[in-house]
């Protein structure tokens, strides 16, 4: 299995070097890489712990490879997709990085862990600009199974404008106006069910061509950054 994680593609070489270390050395080297300097789930304690568990499983003999695929891997790739509209250059680079990793090995399955915008299988319109998400670039739709995360609410770690802050039209929002912390997360549904994966929409919901199904987590709790802000 290849596990693709939404960490910087430019740090993938260092990430691969860390992956080849024995279990006792991997966590420390992981923390020395710059990828954890993120303010959302990509740099969270939960992501760190997930990677450590995957590495331990690989060291125990499970055939797991990993790739960091987020963003352009170099300036040449950035220039290659610069003509695409909106945020599609980012989406196209993500997909190409995953495909390159797949081509370099022999895998029965590829698991891509990414945000739900990147995982959509239909074009998206934002502010009058239509772009194709990563999943559209990745492979023909029939070869991709895309699942949307749904929860019973709780909290998530993200960055939002501070309460009471009033942005000035035409002026950039300063870092002092942003608060990165655990914030309430709205529930997608009120299901009294254990966690599950389904290739159908939630009960009572209509199917959407953007996703093939859902994974239900129930209540969730925010995971803070693995490293303090720099």
């Amino acid at each position: 299995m290849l596990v693709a994680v939404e960490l910087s593609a430019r740090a993938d070489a260092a990430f691969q070097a860390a992956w080849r270390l024995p279990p006792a050395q991997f966590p420390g080297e992981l923390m020395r890489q710059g990828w954890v300097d993120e303010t959302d789930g990509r740099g969270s304690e939960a992501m760190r712990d997930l990677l450590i568990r995957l590495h331990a499983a690989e060291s125990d003999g499970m055939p797991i490879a990993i790739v960091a695929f987020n963003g352009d891997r170099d300036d040449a790739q950035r220039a290659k997709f610069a003509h695409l509209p909106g945020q599609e250059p980012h989406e196209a680079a993500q997909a190409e990085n995953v495909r390159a990793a797949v081509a370099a090995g022999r895998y029965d399955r590829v698991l891509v862990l990414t945000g739900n915008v990147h995982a959509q299988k239909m074009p998206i319109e934002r502010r009058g600009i239509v772009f194709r998400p990563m999943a559209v670039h990745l492979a023909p739709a029939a070869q991709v199974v895309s699942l949307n995360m749904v929860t019973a609410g709780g909290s998530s770690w993200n960055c939002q404008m501070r309460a009471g802050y009033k942005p000035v039209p035409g002026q950039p929002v300063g870092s002092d106006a942003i608060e990165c912390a655990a914030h309430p997360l709205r529930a997608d549904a009120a299901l009294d069910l254990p966690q599950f994966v389904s290739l159908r929409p939630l009960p009572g919901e209509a199917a959407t061509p953007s996703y093939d199904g859902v994974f239900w987590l129930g209540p969730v709790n925010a995971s803070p950054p693995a490293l303090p802000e720099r």
Side-chain angles (χ1 to χ4, degrees):
M1 175 177 285
L2 174 67
V3 179
V5 290
E6 199 178 335
L7 305 175
S8 173
R10 296 196 178 219
D12 185 58
F15 194 29
Q16 299 298 335
W19 191 253
R20 292 190 290 270
L21 294 173
Q25 297 178 29
F26 177 69
E29 184 61 24
L30 192 61
M31 292 299 95
R32 282 188 284 273
Q33 305 305 326
W35 67 266
V36 290
D37 193 17
E38 300 280 358
T39 54
D40 59 17
R42 292 171 295 178
S44 66
E45 292 178 354
M47 176 65 83
R48 176 201 62 196
D49 295 346
L50 168 66
L51 292 171
I52 291 173
R53 291 198 305 273
L54 284 173
H55 183 266
E58 191 274 339
S59 298
D60 286 340
M62 294 186 69
I64 301 172
I66 203 158
V67 63
F69 71 90
N70 192 38
D72 54 78
R73 61 176 176 262
D74 52 35
D75 292 342
Q77 190 184 50
R78 175 179 291 182
K80 177 180 179 180
F81 297 121
H83 66 285
L84 296 174
Q87 73 176 57
E88 192 165 340
H90 183 86
E91 307 291 324
Q94 286 184 319
E96 185 173 74
N97 293 336
V98 175
R99 292 199 309 271
V102 172
R106 298 177 61 185
Y107 303 106
D108 298 304
R109 294 288 185 271
V110 179
L111 176 63
V112 182
L113 304 177
T114 190
N116 64 351
V117 169
H118 308 307
Q120 292 191 40
K121 299 172 70 173
M122 296 291 292
I124 297 172
E125 180 178 353
R126 283 187 172 176
R127 299 176 182 175
I129 298 175
V130 177
F131 67 91
R132 293 170 295 170
M134 182 267 293
V136 177
H137 286 273
L138 190 58
Q143 298 177 18
V144 176
V145 176
S146 183
L147 302 174
N148 191 24
M149 182 187 77
V150 286
T151 79
S155 62
S156 65
W157 189 279
N158 52 41
C159 297
Q160 301 181 11
M161 286 189 186
R162 295 186 184 277
Y165 177 79
K166 296 181 179 180
V168 178
Q171 297 295 319
V173 176
S175 59
D176 60 334
I178 302 298
E179 179 187 51
C180 296
H183 292 111
L185 179 67
R186 180 181 59 84
D188 298 300
L191 299 179
D192 186 16
L193 293 172
Q195 296 176 349
F196 66 84
V197 173
S198 175
L199 294 181
R200 291 179 293 182
L202 289 177
E205 298 287 336
T208 168
S210 293
Y211 303 104
D212 298 292
V214 299
F215 61 98
W216 167 256
L217 296 181
V220 295
N221 297 309
S223 181
L227 288 181
E229 291 186 61
R230 299 176 182 177

